[in-house]
Amino acid sequence: MKGKATTTVLSGALLMVGALLAGCSTTGPGAPAWTAQPGSAGAGTTAPASADAPSTSPPDGPGASATPTTDPQAVATAPVWKTFSDPGKSVSFDLPEDWIAQSVTPEEGTLPGALKVEVKKPDGTFLAALRTGLPPSSAECADASRRPYTVISSVPVEVSAAGGEGTIPPRVVFRVIQGYRFFGSYGITNVVAGAGGQACELRNIVRGPGGKGDYSFGDVVSVKAYAPDEKVAPAKAFDTLDQAARYASEGTEFANVQRMLMSLEIKN
């Protein structure tokens, strides 16, 4: 099922918005504005206590906190887009014409038939990876390891996903978790991050249909509150929540990434 660029009213935070392989085709010269709409809830940074209540919590999971920010502005995406499809035609997504999508070897431990597709800018800067056939990941989290997290952007997307306990309707999200800095990551998820506005890690994971494994499409599979001596990239680090919100509202990188993530189609 293909992701569609529909937006929803979201709580609190500012809401937004190698060689080429065969299977890339130009989709047209349009350059639409790509942004979500601001939420109507209060702009406090304290996490609400209710669980999965869209009227009071950002729709990323129970108690995800929100942050005040400036009014959103429409951000134009790339003028020309193309479609990537793997040789087996099992996955496809749209991306700007000058971005590079390249199939690479999946990590060890993935299921048979798993795919990994990396997306980079023309200068080689890594943007995202689509990974399929991922084994189930653990949601265990000791209380002492929990850290506050904030949903900066959360937009519903239509993709194939398995439901059940600990899941939410799939969304394209940009979230930050607080450590010695605010560590941010974007991707598609349908798993609850944590309760009470705290989590050990934020997972860009979608529970796949039975027997197909999970899949991930984002800059990292999961982001956590890194230690000062740990490598952060390709996750992002910000000094303040407002700085993270500006990343989502200013410039074209996030707008282009969000549009790309929302176009994902995985064929069962």
Side-chain angles (χ1 to χ4, degrees), residues 205-227:
I205 290 287
V206 177
R207 299 296 187 203
K212 299 292 185 179
D214 297 344
Y215 61 92
S216 174
F217 197 15
D219 51 3
V220 291
V221 176
S222 65
V223 63
K224 64 177 183 177
Y226 297 95

Side-chain angles (χ1 to χ4, degrees), residues 66-255:
T67 177
T69 175
T70 57
D71 291 335
Q73 307 223 347
V75 178
T77 56
V80 182
W81 288 65
K82 62 193 176 188
T83 298
F84 169 87
S85 183
D86 70 295
K89 307 296 182 183
S90 59
V91 300
S92 68
F93 56 86
D94 300 335
L95 68 163
E97 185 181 42
D98 62 345
W99 288 8
I100 299 167
Q102 184 176 30
S103 293
V104 297
T105 303
E107 289 90 349
E108 292 185 8
T110 54
L111 301 180
L115 298 173
K116 182 178 180 182
V117 181
E118 292 185 343
V119 179
K120 299 180 180 180
K121 292 182 178 180
D123 63 3
T125 301
F126 176 87
L127 290 165
L130 170 62
R131 298 171 171 88
T132 68
L134 300 177
S137 56
S138 173
E140 295 181 4
C141 179
D143 288 344
S145 300
R146 297 180 186 274
R147 297 291 182 269
Y149 75 95
T150 301
V151 181
I152 301 295
S153 175
S154 180
V155 182
V157 62
E158 296 182 13
V159 291
S160 299
E165 184 178 359
T167 66
I168 58 174
R171 309 190 73 86
V172 172
V173 296
F174 175 52
R175 303 168 293 182
V176 296
I177 189 167
Q178 185 175 350
Y180 73 95
R181 297 183 72 187
F182 294 89
F183 301 102
S185 175
Y186 49 70
I188 303 178
T189 188
N190 82 324
V191 298
V192 172
Q198 296 193 332
C200 286
E201 61 179 357
L202 308 176
R203 294 178 293 164
N204 297 319
I205 290 287
V206 177
R207 299 296 187 203
K212 299 292 185 179
D214 297 344
Y215 61 92
S216 174
F217 197 15
D219 51 3
V220 291
V221 176
S222 65
V223 63
K224 64 177 183 177
Y226 297 95
D229 60 347
E230 287 187 286
K231 178 182 176 181
V232 174
K236 294 171 171 46
F238 305 95
D239 293 326
T240 65
L241 285 175
D242 187 60
Q243 189 181 82
R246 289 200 304 270
Y247 168 75
S249 64
E250 300 174 0
T252 60
E253 181 176 282
F254 179 73

